[in-house]
Amino acid sequence: MADTLREVESKFDVAPDFQVGPLEALCGDGGHIEIKDSRLVSVYYDTAEHDLLRSRLTLRRRTGTF
């Protein structure tokens, strides 16, 4: 049986010179950040009439290693 996950994606408009600050500040005392590469392939589905797009929905199948 396949796992089903619901994902919410947020997109933001930022100034061209926007920079993310140091992520270590989010960890607190004694915390650490682990960096891991992911290799993902996404396939998007819709009807020929683009019904999902028109409804602002995305159906995606993502495979790969996390």
Side-chain angles (χ1 to χ4, degrees), residues 3-15:
D3 292 330
T4 301
L5 303 173
R6 183 176 177 97
E7 178 180 314
V8 176
E9 181 175 308
S10 300
K11 296 180 182 181
F12 303 93
D13 287 326
V14 297

Side-chain angles (χ1 to χ4, degrees), residues 36-43 61-66:
K36 179 180 172 187
D37 286 333
S38 298
R39 308 270 183 230
L40 303 174
V41 175
S42 296
V43 178
R61 180 169 192 256
R62 182 181 280 168
T63 56
T65 58
F66 294 93

Side-chain angles (χ1 to χ4, degrees), residues 5-37:
L5 303 173
R6 183 176 177 97
E7 178 180 314
V8 176
E9 181 175 308
S10 300
K11 296 180 182 181
F12 303 93
D13 287 326
V14 297
D17 60 345
F18 175 81
Q19 294 183 13
V20 175
L23 298 178
E24 291 80 10
L26 301 174
C27 292
D29 293 337
H32 72 281
I33 293 180
E34 209 172 292
I35 298 174
K36 179 180 172 187
D37 286 333

Side-chain angles (χ1 to χ4, degrees), residues 44-62:
Y44 294 85
Y45 298 91
D46 203 345
T47 65
E49 295 78 23
H50 302 290
D51 294 319
L52 294 175
L53 178 64
R54 189 173 19 269
S55 298
R56 302 185 73 190
L57 296 172
T58 301
L59 178 60
R60 172 184 65 208
R61 180 169 192 256
R62 182 181 280 168

